[in-house]
Amino acid sequence: MSAMAPEISIDTNILLVGCGNMGRALLSGWLTRGVDHKRIRAVDLEAGAIGSAQSLNVFASTELSKVLEEFDVDLVVFAVKPQNLEALLPAYRGLADGGAIFLSVAAGKPISFYEDILGKGVVFVRAMPNMPAAIHQGITALCPNPNVQFNQRKLVGDVMTAIGEIVWLEKEVMMDAVTAVSGSGPAYVFLFIEGLTEAGIKVGLEEKLARRLAKATVAGAGAYAMQAESGAAELRKQVTSPGGTTAAALEVLMGEDAFNALLKKAVQAATDRGQELR
Ligand SMILES: NC(=O)c1ccc[n+]([C@@H]2O[C@H](COP(=O)([O-])OP(=O)(O)OC[C@H]3O[C@@H](n4cnc5c(N)ncnc54)[C@H](OP(=O)(O)O)[C@@H]3O)[C@@H](O)[C@H]2O)c1
């Protein structure tokens, strides 16, 4: 989603818990898309994180009680590391009992983990964003628990479109696979840029030029693929003349046990690791 994306109208008070990388991406997305700064409050343990929320005109504190003063929370968004959740969740039980909606972007933790602490009646959505959220071009997979009503689902969807596209998953079991594809995916693309840069240097380019060519090629091809009507395989065929230079490279990349086979292995490894970490 680009800076041209339409404003979102959210008539909702949001409490952001954790103002690190992902929390800041969310904050800036909400504010850029027109959410009133008075409708957002943030809590974080770190002075730097508090400062960055305050610099965006958002009330922030290390103390939850202060943040909750004269603020009726409709939606709580957890953007803390998974290992911090167990200790912090009990303090939010009162908000859950009061009917607030909860959303968490923490990787790995299943919905049942939150329900065990916040109560079975909690209205909860598990989310998996990815790093381009920082420039509002992420994609976030969302999975609701059975307590989430249609209008609450709409609201959560609107809130998360502030950092890019959204997709809804009906089965939580898909989260490990989604994490392996889009959550971890930016790292694979960065590796591809690294590799293309190194390969460019090997065939005689200066490093700076090779890096520039590799980055711009990945960004341009990605943007082209996003707006094209054809699928990726069709686009690949369109830019490959029989017997030409691209065909020569693809013969290597598409060989047995080559690029796609490796990617399948990599995504399987990430999916398996997600299951182990649960
Ligand atoms: N970054 C990504 O690309 C990405 C992608 C997908 C999902 N996620 C998920 O997003 C979550 C946040 O990741 P991140 O990269 O933003 O982490 P981060 O930069 O470490 O930010 C987390 C922030 O939460 C604060 N915090 C810790 N305990 C807290 C508490 N009890 N109350 C309030 N704030 C607390 C941390 O403070 P301290 O530093 O003092 O602990 C830190 O400032 C993770 O669960 C991760 O799995 C991130």
Side-chain angles (χ1 to χ4, degrees):
M1 186 112 357
S2 72
M4 300 292 289
E7 295 210 335
I8 40 175
S9 149
I10 298 174
D11 209 12
T12 302
N13 286 346
I14 305 173
L15 170 59
L16 176 66
V17 183
C19 232
N21 296 315
M22 194 47 74
R24 273 198 302 273
L26 284 162
L27 258 189
S28 100
W30 294 332
L31 296 168
T32 309
R33 300 281 302 279
V35 177
D36 184 346
H37 66 96
K38 291 194 211 82
R39 288 208 168 268
I40 310 170
R41 290 199 179 183
V43 60
D44 197 294
L45 301 181
E46 212 227 317
I50 296 289
S52 67
Q54 286 169 340
S55 71
L56 294 169
N57 234 349
V58 166
F59 183 96
S61 169
T62 52
E63 286 173 53
L64 178 60
S65 57
K66 267 198 185 157
V67 170
L68 292 179
E69 272 170 26
E70 294 176 35
F71 190 68
D72 291 326
V73 179
D74 300 304
L75 174 68
V76 181
V77 176
F78 293 122
V80 296
K81 295 277 191 222
Q83 61 268 27
N84 292 326
L85 280 168
E86 194 156 3
L88 77 84
L89 279 179
Y92 293 83
R93 174 112 203 200
L95 288 174
D97 292 343
I101 306 167
F102 284 75
L103 178 141
S104 175
V105 300
K109 293 285 182 198
I111 293 173
S112 60
F113 168 83
Y114 300 90
E115 289 173 341
D116 285 348
I117 305 177
L118 297 172
K120 294 281 174 233
V122 65
V123 178
F124 186 86
V125 177
R126 181 177 165 191
M128 174 45 62
N130 66 0
M131 197 220 197
I135 54 163
H136 313 159
Q137 292 191 45
I139 181 153
T140 302
L142 298 165
C143 184
N145 81 350
N147 303 327
V148 179
Q149 305 296 313
F150 179 78
N151 59 332
Q152 295 169 323
R153 192 172 156 131
K154 163 92 178 60
L155 184 143
V156 167
D158 283 351
V159 165
M160 295 310 283
T161 54
I163 53 165
E165 286 189 46
I166 57 160
V167 286
W168 284 96
L169 305 177
E170 294 313 323
K171 292 192 183 137
E172 191 182 11
V173 72
M174 300 313 296
M175 262 305 178
D176 289 323
V178 165
T179 304
V181 172
S182 59
S184 306
Y188 317 154
V189 176
F190 301 145
L191 179 67
F192 184 84
I193 294 174
E194 271 179 77
L196 194 54
T197 304
E198 284 169 21
I201 295 168
K202 182 114 193 295
V203 292
L205 299 176
E206 285 193 355
E207 184 178 343
K208 208 171 149 195
L209 175 60
R211 183 172 302 116
R212 191 166 163 202
L213 292 172
K215 267 195 196 178
T217 301
V218 168
Y224 190 83
M226 283 300 280
Q227 57 87 52
E229 287 191 3
S230 320
E234 185 54 38
L235 294 177
R236 170 175 54 75
K237 286 178 196 150
Q238 281 171 17
V239 293
T240 311
S241 321
T245 57
T246 310
L250 289 181
E251 208 170 301
V252 178
L253 283 173
M254 296 174 76
E256 210 182 325
D257 295 331
F259 194 63
N260 283 5
L262 270 180
L263 260 186
K264 279 182 195 143
K265 261 195 191 166
V267 169
Q268 186 64 56
T271 309
D272 294 347
R273 186 74 183 131
Q275 281 161 10
E276 283 162 23
L277 289 175
R278 256 191 242 146

